[in-house]
Amino acid sequence: MINLNIEKTFGFISKEKVFGYEAEVKAAQEMLEKGTGKGNDFLGWLHLPSSITKEHLADLKATAQTLKENCEVVVVAGIGGSYLGARAVIETLSNSFAWLQDKKDAPVIVYAGHNISEDYLYELTEYLKDKKFGVINISKSGTTTETALAFRLLKKQCETQRGKEEAKKVIVAITDAKKGAARVTADKEGYKTFVIPDNVGGRFSVLTPVGLLPIAVAGFDIEQLVAGAAATEKACGADVPFAENPAALYAATRNELYKNGKKIEILVNFCPKLHYVSEWWKQLYGESEGKDNKGIFPASVDFSTDLHSMGQWIQEGERSIFETVISVEKVNHELKVPTDEENLDGLNFLAGKRVDEVNKMAELGTQLAHVDGGVPNMRIVLPQLTEYNIGELLYFFEKACGISGYLLGVNPFNQPGVEAYKKNMFALLNKPGYEEESKAIQARL
């Protein structure tokens, strides 16, 4: 089980104030459980881990096997919650240089539909020209511009290279059960499909087929991922006492820090494999809490790399920040520092030590320095980077996010502000139906 330590926030806020949230947290938990709070039509994630059936996992694994057997590369087409969860898990569990290796146990996973860069899409299509590739198209509506544009290109290329009949076997749609452009296309073309549940928002969808299918294609154990999430669902349940509930404690602590002027939360790792966990976390919290002119700004850094770029600001800049550090207790490999006769770099004092010991001391030294510099710190300890532990971490953050949003007084499950840029973009592109908006925006320009 993951471990949360909030002790190094108590020089900045009081333990009594944090524990004073117990009644509010209980009320927030009840709103989630009973569906009486804002956004109650998007609570399908709450008990999702414990409700996933063996049959559903078997179907996902069978489809993943078909893609593995018929593809050198699989393109995951999606944006935001439609790809960040899968990418977070895949990159956390993958060999850092797996894509360079000749012998692979699973297809190379690449991503599209998360930007509108012509260079990116051109270079992707060039890369795929001599590859047997498949596509997992993830879109509830099928009309999200970034993803729909990428899928249009990929569908045509896959059919051209492999033939229409063979392409049908390696294109999978994860979409709405009944409606939308992606559903219509999938039914017309005869693609294998999986459903995005209506009551699960994109940023909470990693444990639906949205995340589970790409993760399975990449060769990882989705049963263990779900098991870890289910364990945390229980450990963070509404019946677990406040003092023993990590999601409750995390939500309460970050809200008390926010009330005390700590407006920015920096998620820190000392393991670069966790970079996309931070990207997923930023969407989860930014999109859930950033509304009504409220919300902690979610930022992230990869240490020790970013100690040489952001470290100065964190140490001595404006004291509006706090850090939450994800610490990995046990690494997967062993590498010791060798002795060097010349010792010109002065590192012989480390000879014989494991590199992870050096990294752990960098972690501890950084935490102490930042606390001394006025930065409250929380620490989340993961036993190891395994499917089970990552499943625990993902659900922990999801549950804490639901509680935290209710403590803040916002609807954690909508995202009305996301539509603003789309309206302007469609008006500028003269999309049919946006004639009045086009005139208005041209007048402004």
PDB file of all heavy atoms in Angstrom, residues 25-54:
ATOM      1  N   VAL A  25     -14.602  16.458   5.379  1.00  0.00           N
ATOM      2  CA  VAL A  25     -14.201  15.341   4.522  1.00  0.00           C
ATOM      3  C   VAL A  25     -15.272  14.251   4.548  1.00  0.00           C
ATOM      4  O   VAL A  25     -15.619  13.679   3.505  1.00  0.00           O
ATOM      5  CB  VAL A  25     -12.834  14.777   4.944  1.00  0.00           C
ATOM      6  CG1 VAL A  25     -12.560  13.430   4.283  1.00  0.00           C
ATOM      7  CG2 VAL A  25     -11.724  15.757   4.599  1.00  0.00           C
ATOM      8  N   LYS A  26     -15.796  13.983   5.716  1.00  0.00           N
ATOM      9  CA  LYS A  26     -16.854  12.975   5.839  1.00  0.00           C
ATOM     10  C   LYS A  26     -18.063  13.373   4.999  1.00  0.00           C
ATOM     11  O   LYS A  26     -18.657  12.546   4.292  1.00  0.00           O
ATOM     12  CB  LYS A  26     -17.264  12.796   7.300  1.00  0.00           C
ATOM     13  CG  LYS A  26     -18.282  11.676   7.510  1.00  0.00           C
ATOM     14  CD  LYS A  26     -18.614  11.485   8.982  1.00  0.00           C
ATOM     15  CE  LYS A  26     -19.608  10.343   9.165  1.00  0.00           C
ATOM     16  NZ  LYS A  26     -19.973  10.156  10.601  1.00  0.00           N
ATOM     17  N   ALA A  27     -18.401  14.666   5.038  1.00  0.00           N
ATOM     18  CA  ALA A  27     -19.531  15.155   4.240  1.00  0.00           C
ATOM     19  C   ALA A  27     -19.239  15.015   2.744  1.00  0.00           C
ATOM     20  O   ALA A  27     -20.117  14.628   1.958  1.00  0.00           O
ATOM     21  CB  ALA A  27     -19.824  16.613   4.588  1.00  0.00           C
ATOM     22  N   ALA A  28     -18.000  15.309   2.361  1.00  0.00           N
ATOM     23  CA  ALA A  28     -17.607  15.171   0.952  1.00  0.00           C
ATOM     24  C   ALA A  28     -17.665  13.711   0.510  1.00  0.00           C
ATOM     25  O   ALA A  28     -18.141  13.397  -0.594  1.00  0.00           O
ATOM     26  CB  ALA A  28     -16.202  15.732   0.752  1.00  0.00           C
ATOM     27  N   GLN A  29     -17.187  12.821   1.385  1.00  0.00           N
ATOM     28  CA  GLN A  29     -17.245  11.387   1.086  1.00  0.00           C
ATOM     29  C   GLN A  29     -18.691  10.932   0.910  1.00  0.00           C
ATOM     30  O   GLN A  29     -19.009  10.125   0.023  1.00  0.00           O
ATOM     31  CB  GLN A  29     -16.584  10.593   2.219  1.00  0.00           C
ATOM     32  CG  GLN A  29     -15.072  10.743   2.310  1.00  0.00           C
ATOM     33  CD  GLN A  29     -14.366   9.555   1.679  1.00  0.00           C
ATOM     34  OE1 GLN A  29     -14.647   9.222   0.537  1.00  0.00           O
ATOM     35  NE2 GLN A  29     -13.452   8.945   2.401  1.00  0.00           N
ATOM     36  N   GLU A  30     -19.569  11.428   1.769  1.00  0.00           N
ATOM     37  CA  GLU A  30     -20.979  11.050   1.683  1.00  0.00           C
ATOM     38  C   GLU A  30     -21.608  11.564   0.386  1.00  0.00           C
ATOM     39  O   GLU A  30     -22.427  10.880  -0.235  1.00  0.00           O
ATOM     40  CB  GLU A  30     -21.746  11.574   2.903  1.00  0.00           C
ATOM     41  CG  GLU A  30     -21.457  10.794   4.176  1.00  0.00           C
ATOM     42  CD  GLU A  30     -22.243  11.291   5.377  1.00  0.00           C
ATOM     43  OE1 GLU A  30     -23.044  12.247   5.215  1.00  0.00           O
ATOM     44  OE2 GLU A  30     -22.069  10.736   6.475  1.00  0.00           O
ATOM     45  N   MET A  31     -21.221  12.773  -0.026  1.00  0.00           N
ATOM     46  CA  MET A  31     -21.733  13.312  -1.288  1.00  0.00           C
ATOM     47  C   MET A  31     -21.296  12.432  -2.460  1.00  0.00           C
ATOM     48  O   MET A  31     -22.073  12.204  -3.396  1.00  0.00           O
ATOM     49  CB  MET A  31     -21.245  14.746  -1.490  1.00  0.00           C
ATOM     50  CG  MET A  31     -21.998  15.776  -0.668  1.00  0.00           C
ATOM     51  SD  MET A  31     -21.692  17.478  -1.213  1.00  0.00           S
ATOM     52  CE  MET A  31     -20.045  17.760  -0.598  1.00  0.00           C
ATOM     53  N   LEU A  32     -20.067  11.951  -2.385  1.00  0.00           N
ATOM     54  CA  LEU A  32     -19.597  11.048  -3.438  1.00  0.00           C
ATOM     55  C   LEU A  32     -20.359   9.732  -3.413  1.00  0.00           C
ATOM     56  O   LEU A  32     -20.835   9.247  -4.449  1.00  0.00           O
ATOM     57  CB  LEU A  32     -18.092  10.785  -3.269  1.00  0.00           C
ATOM     58  CG  LEU A  32     -17.145  11.945  -3.592  1.00  0.00           C
ATOM     59  CD1 LEU A  32     -15.715  11.595  -3.162  1.00  0.00           C
ATOM     60  CD2 LEU A  32     -17.163  12.284  -5.078  1.00  0.00           C
ATOM     61  N   GLU A  33     -20.490   9.155  -2.241  1.00  0.00           N
ATOM     62  CA  GLU A  33     -21.136   7.848  -2.109  1.00  0.00           C
ATOM     63  C   GLU A  33     -22.629   7.902  -2.453  1.00  0.00           C
ATOM     64  O   GLU A  33     -23.158   7.004  -3.116  1.00  0.00           O
ATOM     65  CB  GLU A  33     -20.951   7.300  -0.691  1.00  0.00           C
ATOM     66  CG  GLU A  33     -19.523   6.895  -0.345  1.00  0.00           C
ATOM     67  CD  GLU A  33     -19.037   5.705  -1.155  1.00  0.00           C
ATOM     68  OE1 GLU A  33     -19.881   4.901  -1.603  1.00  0.00           O
ATOM     69  OE2 GLU A  33     -17.816   5.593  -1.350  1.00  0.00           O
ATOM     70  N   LYS A  34     -23.296   8.962  -2.019  1.00  0.00           N
ATOM     71  CA  LYS A  34     -24.748   9.059  -2.218  1.00  0.00           C
ATOM     72  C   LYS A  34     -25.112   9.781  -3.513  1.00  0.00           C
ATOM     73  O   LYS A  34     -26.292   9.814  -3.909  1.00  0.00           O
ATOM     74  CB  LYS A  34     -25.392   9.765  -1.017  1.00  0.00           C
ATOM     75  CG  LYS A  34     -25.263   8.979   0.285  1.00  0.00           C
ATOM     76  CD  LYS A  34     -25.861   9.762   1.446  1.00  0.00           C
ATOM     77  CE  LYS A  34     -25.720   8.981   2.759  1.00  0.00           C
ATOM     78  NZ  LYS A  34     -26.241   9.753   3.916  1.00  0.00           N
ATOM     79  N   GLY A  35     -24.113  10.392  -4.144  1.00  0.00           N
ATOM     80  CA  GLY A  35     -24.379  11.105  -5.395  1.00  0.00           C
ATOM     81  C   GLY A  35     -25.199  12.353  -5.201  1.00  0.00           C
ATOM     82  O   GLY A  35     -26.032  12.701  -6.052  1.00  0.00           O
ATOM     83  N   THR A  36     -24.968  13.067  -4.095  1.00  0.00           N
ATOM     84  CA  THR A  36     -25.767  14.262  -3.807  1.00  0.00           C
ATOM     85  C   THR A  36     -25.016  15.558  -4.103  1.00  0.00           C
ATOM     86  O   THR A  36     -25.568  16.641  -3.931  1.00  0.00           O
ATOM     87  CB  THR A  36     -26.193  14.271  -2.329  1.00  0.00           C
ATOM     88  OG1 THR A  36     -25.021  14.163  -1.497  1.00  0.00           O
ATOM     89  CG2 THR A  36     -27.132  13.127  -2.023  1.00  0.00           C
ATOM     90  N   GLY A  37     -23.765  15.464  -4.543  1.00  0.00           N
ATOM     91  CA  GLY A  37     -22.976  16.665  -4.811  1.00  0.00           C
ATOM     92  C   GLY A  37     -23.022  17.074  -6.270  1.00  0.00           C
ATOM     93  O   GLY A  37     -23.642  16.422  -7.111  1.00  0.00           O
ATOM     94  N   LYS A  38     -22.344  18.172  -6.576  1.00  0.00           N
ATOM     95  CA  LYS A  38     -22.263  18.663  -7.951  1.00  0.00           C
ATOM     96  C   LYS A  38     -21.547  17.635  -8.826  1.00  0.00           C
ATOM     97  O   LYS A  38     -20.600  16.990  -8.403  1.00  0.00           O
ATOM     98  CB  LYS A  38     -21.493  19.987  -7.990  1.00  0.00           C
ATOM     99  CG  LYS A  38     -22.176  21.131  -7.258  1.00  0.00           C
ATOM    100  CD  LYS A  38     -21.287  22.376  -7.269  1.00  0.00           C
ATOM    101  CE  LYS A  38     -21.921  23.527  -6.502  1.00  0.00           C
ATOM    102  NZ  LYS A  38     -21.021  24.703  -6.455  1.00  0.00           N
ATOM    103  N   GLY A  39     -22.028  17.498 -10.053  1.00  0.00           N
ATOM    104  CA  GLY A  39     -21.390  16.575 -10.984  1.00  0.00           C
ATOM    105  C   GLY A  39     -21.668  15.116 -10.682  1.00  0.00           C
ATOM    106  O   GLY A  39     -20.907  14.232 -11.080  1.00  0.00           O
ATOM    107  N   ASN A  40     -22.798  14.849 -10.004  1.00  0.00           N
ATOM    108  CA  ASN A  40     -23.079  13.473  -9.555  1.00  0.00           C
ATOM    109  C   ASN A  40     -23.388  12.509 -10.700  1.00  0.00           C
ATOM    110  O   ASN A  40     -23.521  11.308 -10.484  1.00  0.00           O
ATOM    111  CB  ASN A  40     -24.223  13.461  -8.529  1.00  0.00           C
ATOM    112  CG  ASN A  40     -25.473  14.151  -9.035  1.00  0.00           C
ATOM    113  OD1 ASN A  40     -25.659  14.312 -10.240  1.00  0.00           O
ATOM    114  ND2 ASN A  40     -26.330  14.569  -8.115  1.00  0.00           N
ATOM    115  N   ASP A  41     -23.512  13.032 -11.929  1.00  0.00           N
ATOM    116  CA  ASP A  41     -23.721  12.141 -13.069  1.00  0.00           C
ATOM    117  C   ASP A  41     -22.395  11.634 -13.642  1.00  0.00           C
ATOM    118  O   ASP A  41     -22.379  10.928 -14.646  1.00  0.00           O
ATOM    119  CB  ASP A  41     -24.533  12.840 -14.159  1.00  0.00           C
ATOM    120  CG  ASP A  41     -24.020  14.231 -14.507  1.00  0.00           C
ATOM    121  OD1 ASP A  41     -23.276  14.809 -13.699  1.00  0.00           O
ATOM    122  OD2 ASP A  41     -24.370  14.753 -15.591  1.00  0.00           O
ATOM    123  N   PHE A  42     -21.273  12.003 -12.986  1.00  0.00           N
ATOM    124  CA  PHE A  42     -19.950  11.543 -13.427  1.00  0.00           C
ATOM    125  C   PHE A  42     -19.188  10.852 -12.304  1.00  0.00           C
ATOM    126  O   PHE A  42     -18.015  11.112 -12.083  1.00  0.00           O
ATOM    127  CB  PHE A  42     -19.135  12.719 -13.977  1.00  0.00           C
ATOM    128  CG  PHE A  42     -19.541  13.120 -15.365  1.00  0.00           C
ATOM    129  CD1 PHE A  42     -20.424  14.169 -15.562  1.00  0.00           C
ATOM    130  CD2 PHE A  42     -19.069  12.423 -16.471  1.00  0.00           C
ATOM    131  CE1 PHE A  42     -20.811  14.532 -16.845  1.00  0.00           C
ATOM    132  CE2 PHE A  42     -19.455  12.776 -17.756  1.00  0.00           C
ATOM    133  CZ  PHE A  42     -20.328  13.837 -17.947  1.00  0.00           C
ATOM    134  N   LEU A  43     -19.873   9.970 -11.604  1.00  0.00           N
ATOM    135  CA  LEU A  43     -19.259   9.263 -10.471  1.00  0.00           C
ATOM    136  C   LEU A  43     -18.995   7.795 -10.773  1.00  0.00           C
ATOM    137  O   LEU A  43     -18.753   7.001  -9.865  1.00  0.00           O
ATOM    138  CB  LEU A  43     -20.157   9.398  -9.235  1.00  0.00           C
ATOM    139  CG  LEU A  43     -20.303  10.810  -8.660  1.00  0.00           C
ATOM    140  CD1 LEU A  43     -21.336  10.830  -7.542  1.00  0.00           C
ATOM    141  CD2 LEU A  43     -18.967  11.334  -8.146  1.00  0.00           C
ATOM    142  N   GLY A  44     -18.995   7.435 -12.044  1.00  0.00           N
ATOM    143  CA  GLY A  44     -18.793   6.033 -12.401  1.00  0.00           C
ATOM    144  C   GLY A  44     -17.423   5.491 -12.064  1.00  0.00           C
ATOM    145  O   GLY A  44     -17.231   4.278 -11.967  1.00  0.00           O
ATOM    146  N   TRP A  45     -16.448   6.385 -11.864  1.00  0.00           N
ATOM    147  CA  TRP A  45     -15.080   5.966 -11.515  1.00  0.00           C
ATOM    148  C   TRP A  45     -14.974   5.506 -10.066  1.00  0.00           C
ATOM    149  O   TRP A  45     -14.043   4.780  -9.713  1.00  0.00           O
ATOM    150  CB  TRP A  45     -14.115   7.133 -11.717  1.00  0.00           C
ATOM    151  CG  TRP A  45     -14.492   8.340 -10.893  1.00  0.00           C
ATOM    152  CD1 TRP A  45     -15.356   9.339 -11.241  1.00  0.00           C
ATOM    153  CD2 TRP A  45     -14.073   8.631  -9.553  1.00  0.00           C
ATOM    154  NE1 TRP A  45     -15.499  10.234 -10.211  1.00  0.00           N
ATOM    155  CE2 TRP A  45     -14.725   9.823  -9.166  1.00  0.00           C
ATOM    156  CE3 TRP A  45     -13.218   8.004  -8.648  1.00  0.00           C
ATOM    157  CZ2 TRP A  45     -14.535  10.408  -7.915  1.00  0.00           C
ATOM    158  CZ3 TRP A  45     -13.035   8.577  -7.395  1.00  0.00           C
ATOM    159  CH2 TRP A  45     -13.682   9.768  -7.044  1.00  0.00           C
ATOM    160  N   LEU A  46     -15.925   5.930  -9.211  1.00  0.00           N
ATOM    161  CA  LEU A  46     -15.772   5.799  -7.763  1.00  0.00           C
ATOM    162  C   LEU A  46     -15.592   4.351  -7.325  1.00  0.00           C
ATOM    163  O   LEU A  46     -14.709   4.032  -6.524  1.00  0.00           O
ATOM    164  CB  LEU A  46     -16.983   6.432  -7.069  1.00  0.00           C
ATOM    165  CG  LEU A  46     -16.907   6.564  -5.548  1.00  0.00           C
ATOM    166  CD1 LEU A  46     -15.763   7.462  -5.109  1.00  0.00           C
ATOM    167  CD2 LEU A  46     -18.237   7.123  -5.017  1.00  0.00           C
ATOM    168  N   HIS A  47     -16.426   3.458  -7.836  1.00  0.00           N
ATOM    169  CA  HIS A  47     -16.326   2.036  -7.494  1.00  0.00           C
ATOM    170  C   HIS A  47     -15.999   1.191  -8.727  1.00  0.00           C
ATOM    171  O   HIS A  47     -16.302  -0.004  -8.765  1.00  0.00           O
ATOM    172  CB  HIS A  47     -17.611   1.564  -6.824  1.00  0.00           C
ATOM    173  CG  HIS A  47     -17.870   2.230  -5.502  1.00  0.00           C
ATOM    174  ND1 HIS A  47     -17.018   2.082  -4.430  1.00  0.00           N
ATOM    175  CD2 HIS A  47     -18.852   3.078  -5.105  1.00  0.00           C
ATOM    176  CE1 HIS A  47     -17.473   2.804  -3.413  1.00  0.00           C
ATOM    177  NE2 HIS A  47     -18.579   3.419  -3.791  1.00  0.00           N
ATOM    178  N   LEU A  48     -15.376   1.830  -9.692  1.00  0.00           N
ATOM    179  CA  LEU A  48     -15.021   1.130 -10.924  1.00  0.00           C
ATOM    180  C   LEU A  48     -14.035  -0.024 -10.699  1.00  0.00           C
ATOM    181  O   LEU A  48     -14.258  -1.130 -11.202  1.00  0.00           O
ATOM    182  CB  LEU A  48     -14.455   2.128 -11.940  1.00  0.00           C
ATOM    183  CG  LEU A  48     -14.039   1.584 -13.301  1.00  0.00           C
ATOM    184  CD1 LEU A  48     -15.231   0.963 -14.032  1.00  0.00           C
ATOM    185  CD2 LEU A  48     -13.422   2.693 -14.146  1.00  0.00           C
ATOM    186  N   PRO A  49     -12.940   0.182  -9.945  1.00  0.00           N
ATOM    187  CA  PRO A  49     -11.966  -0.915  -9.810  1.00  0.00           C
ATOM    188  C   PRO A  49     -12.576  -2.212  -9.296  1.00  0.00           C
ATOM    189  O   PRO A  49     -12.289  -3.288  -9.827  1.00  0.00           O
ATOM    190  CB  PRO A  49     -10.936  -0.352  -8.821  1.00  0.00           C
ATOM    191  CG  PRO A  49     -11.027   1.121  -8.973  1.00  0.00           C
ATOM    192  CD  PRO A  49     -12.477   1.403  -9.234  1.00  0.00           C
ATOM    193  N   SER A  50     -13.425  -2.104  -8.284  1.00  0.00           N
ATOM    194  CA  SER A  50     -14.005  -3.309  -7.681  1.00  0.00           C
ATOM    195  C   SER A  50     -15.126  -3.917  -8.518  1.00  0.00           C
ATOM    196  O   SER A  50     -15.573  -5.034  -8.246  1.00  0.00           O
ATOM    197  CB  SER A  50     -14.531  -2.996  -6.274  1.00  0.00           C
ATOM    198  OG  SER A  50     -15.541  -1.994  -6.327  1.00  0.00           O
ATOM    199  N   SER A  51     -15.564  -3.194  -9.542  1.00  0.00           N
ATOM    200  CA  SER A  51     -16.692  -3.701 -10.345  1.00  0.00           C
ATOM    201  C   SER A  51     -16.256  -4.256 -11.702  1.00  0.00           C
ATOM    202  O   SER A  51     -17.084  -4.780 -12.444  1.00  0.00           O
ATOM    203  CB  SER A  51     -17.721  -2.580 -10.557  1.00  0.00           C
ATOM    204  OG  SER A  51     -17.169  -1.532 -11.331  1.00  0.00           O
ATOM    205  N   ILE A  52     -14.979  -4.142 -12.031  1.00  0.00           N
ATOM    206  CA  ILE A  52     -14.497  -4.658 -13.320  1.00  0.00           C
ATOM    207  C   ILE A  52     -14.492  -6.185 -13.290  1.00  0.00           C
ATOM    208  O   ILE A  52     -13.926  -6.801 -12.388  1.00  0.00           O
ATOM    209  CB  ILE A  52     -13.085  -4.116 -13.631  1.00  0.00           C
ATOM    210  CG1 ILE A  52     -13.136  -2.594 -13.818  1.00  0.00           C
ATOM    211  CG2 ILE A  52     -12.500  -4.778 -14.881  1.00  0.00           C
ATOM    212  CD1 ILE A  52     -11.776  -1.936 -13.952  1.00  0.00           C
ATOM    213  N   THR A  53     -15.108  -6.791 -14.281  1.00  0.00           N
ATOM    214  CA  THR A  53     -15.250  -8.256 -14.288  1.00  0.00           C
ATOM    215  C   THR A  53     -14.072  -8.931 -14.986  1.00  0.00           C
ATOM    216  O   THR A  53     -13.390  -8.332 -15.823  1.00  0.00           O
ATOM    217  CB  THR A  53     -16.545  -8.673 -15.011  1.00  0.00           C
ATOM    218  OG1 THR A  53     -16.446  -8.301 -16.393  1.00  0.00           O
ATOM    219  CG2 THR A  53     -17.765  -8.001 -14.385  1.00  0.00           C
ATOM    220  N   LYS A  54     -13.880 -10.192 -14.663  1.00  0.00           N
ATOM    221  CA  LYS A  54     -12.844 -10.997 -15.331  1.00  0.00           C
ATOM    222  C   LYS A  54     -13.146 -11.122 -16.820  1.00  0.00           C
ATOM    223  O   LYS A  54     -12.231 -11.152 -17.650  1.00  0.00           O
ATOM    224  CB  LYS A  54     -12.771 -12.387 -14.689  1.00  0.00           C
ATOM    225  CG  LYS A  54     -12.186 -12.386 -13.283  1.00  0.00           C
ATOM    226  CD  LYS A  54     -12.111 -13.797 -12.726  1.00  0.00           C
ATOM    227  CE  LYS A  54     -11.511 -13.809 -11.328  1.00  0.00           C
ATOM    228  NZ  LYS A  54     -11.445 -15.177 -10.756  1.00  0.00           N
TER     229      LYS A  54
END
